[in-house]
Amino acid sequence: MTVIRPFEVVLLGPLWIATVYSLRRTLTKDPRSALLSGMVTLITLSITVGVPGIRRALETATGAEGVTTLLTHLFSLSAMTCLIAFIRHLTRGTVEGSVSGSRRSTVRTLSLPVVAAALSTAFFLSPRPDAEAHFLTQAPTTPIYAYWSVYLLYLGWGMSVSGRLCYRYRIQAPPGPLRTSLNFLCAATASGFLYVAHRAAFLVTGQRDFWPLSIGGMLATTQTLLALTLLLIVAGIAWPGLVDLGRARRRRRRLRRLRPLWEAIGQAVPEVVLPLPPELSGAPDVLLYRRIIEISDGILVLAPLCDGAVRAEARRRLASAGLTDARLDAAVEAVCLRSALDRKRSCTDVLPERETPLPAGSGSEPDDVGDGEEQGARLELVARSFVNPAVIRVATALQDVPTGTAGANAR
């Protein structure tokens, strides 16, 4: 027998990565995080213990032939209990009442030790397979039938509860990462049912020459269904976190692109930049929200210095350079901001009342702020134009353009 089988090669990498990542969450006070981490760790241990090379080493060290089969199944049943508890925490207050849910939780807590004791008793009363044989293929005896009945009934019950909860809450969940996660978990429970049904069918018919597949075909099918079930479970529990990581990455990228524009406006109009509490400085959503507001407020303050003649000439030159639509609007706004910042640095008087239009979407009125994502995308485009060498050259060339009323007043 090989040291490691193909399906274990597919599973162990993602499972150990998920285990190491989830262990960081056990330090939190959120019970869902602890249950999630416990479930992933137990699943990983159940697969790791079943690897042929590790299994032989453990059985040689302990002197207990076939004991790794029992350990694998105990880890699996414990992981199923964690999955049920996790889904109940996730859907608490939506799917079932808290009183009945707490009673079922007590029964569930008591049932796992009872099932573990029954499984262990049946295992030690059963004939032990040698190191190269699978426990499922042993000659049928009453303890073996009892062992697999206890294991498959508990696993099937757990899949039933998990599938029912996932399906019921999936209907109520809004479109988004949570619904996608529940879709994965629903698919995992369906695959798990096939796994249980396949093993149960072999247990009932395989020893009576009714089973259409060979022993090797049966084991390959079992391993495929198990791998599919576990990968779907990992995908379901990891999906919301992956979506959050992707969103945070996009927020940080936008913050980096906004930084040059934010710093330039903050130096010219420092009153629009407010101190941020240290505990919020690492939250990209909060930081991006503040940057958008501060940049918009700075544009509002600088708007009186954004001369109409400069705007018109900048649009003409940038359009002749091939810019169109949103890129042209962002480049014109960037030129106007550079012009306004230059005049602000050379102006010591109070800023005049606004006599020229504000840049589009600058937030002069509450309704102008619009959707935060749309506003952030527009300002990101302006910020990228702000540091564009072509835009800087146009802004420099327009420093000597005759100004209109606003520019004259500013002087």
Side-chain angles (χ1 to χ4, degrees):
M1 184 176 287
T2 59
V3 175
I4 185 169
R5 293 165 291 188
F7 92 103
E8 291 161 343
V9 174
V10 173
L11 284 176
L12 285 177
L15 284 175
W16 274 109
I17 291 173
T19 299
V20 172
Y21 176 76
S22 65
L23 283 176
R24 301 183 307 171
R25 307 176 68 175
T26 58
L27 300 177
T28 66
K29 296 182 179 180
D30 183 7
R32 289 184 297 183
S33 298
L35 288 169
L36 197 60
S37 176
M39 181 189 68
V40 174
T41 302
L42 288 166
I43 289 175
T44 304
L45 289 175
S46 70
I47 299 298
T48 303
V49 168
V51 172
I54 297 175
R55 185 178 70 222
R56 286 196 295 268
L58 288 175
E59 291 177 359
T60 300
T62 59
E65 198 72 38
V67 72
T68 51
T69 299
L70 176 62
L71 292 176
T72 296
H73 292 159
L74 290 177
F75 285 145
S76 300
L77 296 184
S78 300
M80 174 57 65
T81 304
C82 288
L83 176 62
I84 296 171
F86 170 75
I87 296 174
R88 286 192 184 278
H89 270 282
L90 190 67
T91 59
R92 176 172 293 174
T94 303
V95 178
E96 302 187 29
S98 58
V99 175
S100 59
S102 62
R103 290 175 180 173
R104 274 187 288 270
S105 177
T106 303
V107 173
R108 206 169 46 251
T109 302
L110 294 174
S111 64
L112 179 61
V114 172
V115 169
L119 199 68
S120 301
T121 301
F123 176 82
F124 287 109
L125 292 176
S126 303
R128 267 346 164 311
D130 59 41
E132 302 300 322
H134 195 282
F135 192 61
L136 184 61
T137 63
Q138 294 302 293
T141 62
T142 300
I144 284 181
Y145 275 125
Y147 179 91
W148 285 108
S149 297
V150 170
Y151 174 70
L152 293 177
L153 283 173
Y154 190 89
L155 204 59
W157 170 78
M159 290 293 177
S160 173
V161 173
S162 301
R164 179 172 57 87
L165 289 174
C166 287
Y167 179 75
R168 291 178 64 182
Y169 191 65
R170 172 192 168 279
I171 297 174
Q172 304 174 34
L178 178 58
R179 176 178 286 187
T180 303
S181 175
L182 291 173
N183 286 337
F184 278 123
L185 292 176
C186 283
T189 57
S191 177
F193 268 123
L194 290 177
Y195 169 82
V196 171
H198 179 265
R199 285 215 160 184
F202 176 80
L203 185 66
V204 172
T205 65
Q207 308 295 346
R208 301 176 183 175
D209 298 325
F210 296 149
W211 190 250
L213 297 177
S214 64
I215 297 297
M218 181 276 298
L219 293 177
T221 303
T222 295
Q223 292 167 359
T224 301
L225 290 171
L226 176 62
L228 178 61
T229 300
L230 295 181
L231 289 176
L232 286 170
I233 289 175
V234 171
I237 63 180
W239 185 257
L242 292 175
V243 171
D244 289 341
L245 287 175
R247 184 184 296 114
R249 183 178 179 182
R250 291 192 297 272
R251 296 287 189 266
R252 292 189 180 96
R253 183 173 62 243
R254 180 163 289 175
L255 281 167
R256 288 195 300 270
R257 291 174 175 174
L258 289 175
R259 188 174 185 84
L261 178 60
W262 174 75
E263 287 180 341
I265 289 177
Q267 291 173 4
V269 195
E271 61 270 20
V272 302
V273 179
L274 300 178
L276 188 68
E279 61 271 15
L280 297 179
S281 58
D285 286 340
V286 175
L287 204 56
L288 181 60
Y289 176 75
R290 288 287 296 269
R291 293 291 185 266
I292 290 174
I293 290 178
E294 290 164 355
I295 291 173
S296 299
D297 288 346
I299 291 175
L300 177 62
V301 174
L302 293 170
L305 295 177
C306 188
D307 189 81
V310 172
R311 177 180 293 277
E313 182 63 17
R315 180 171 292 276
R316 186 188 68 79
R317 294 193 185 195
L318 292 168
S320 65
L323 296 181
T324 58
D325 302 328
R327 293 181 60 196
L328 175 60
D329 293 337
V332 170
E333 188 168 339
V335 170
C336 290
L337 283 172
R338 283 195 168 273
S339 175
L341 289 169
D342 289 338
R343 289 172 184 164
K344 178 66 171 64
R345 282 189 288 268
S346 62
C347 175
T348 56
D349 298 332
V350 178
L351 288 173
E353 294 295 327
R354 170 166 48 93
E355 298 183 14
T356 57
L358 284 175
S362 62
S364 60
E365 302 294 342
D367 292 340
D368 291 337
V369 176
D371 180 72
E373 183 66 24
E374 180 181 349
Q375 178 81 341
R378 188 192 68 80
L379 288 178
E380 180 183 349
L381 193 56
V382 173
R384 295 175 67 180
S385 300
F386 187 78
V387 296
N388 187 296
V391 172
I392 294 174
R393 285 195 297 271
V394 171
T396 303
L398 293 181
Q399 287 180 349
D400 298 329
V401 171
T403 58
T405 305
N409 289 340
R411 295 174 184 175

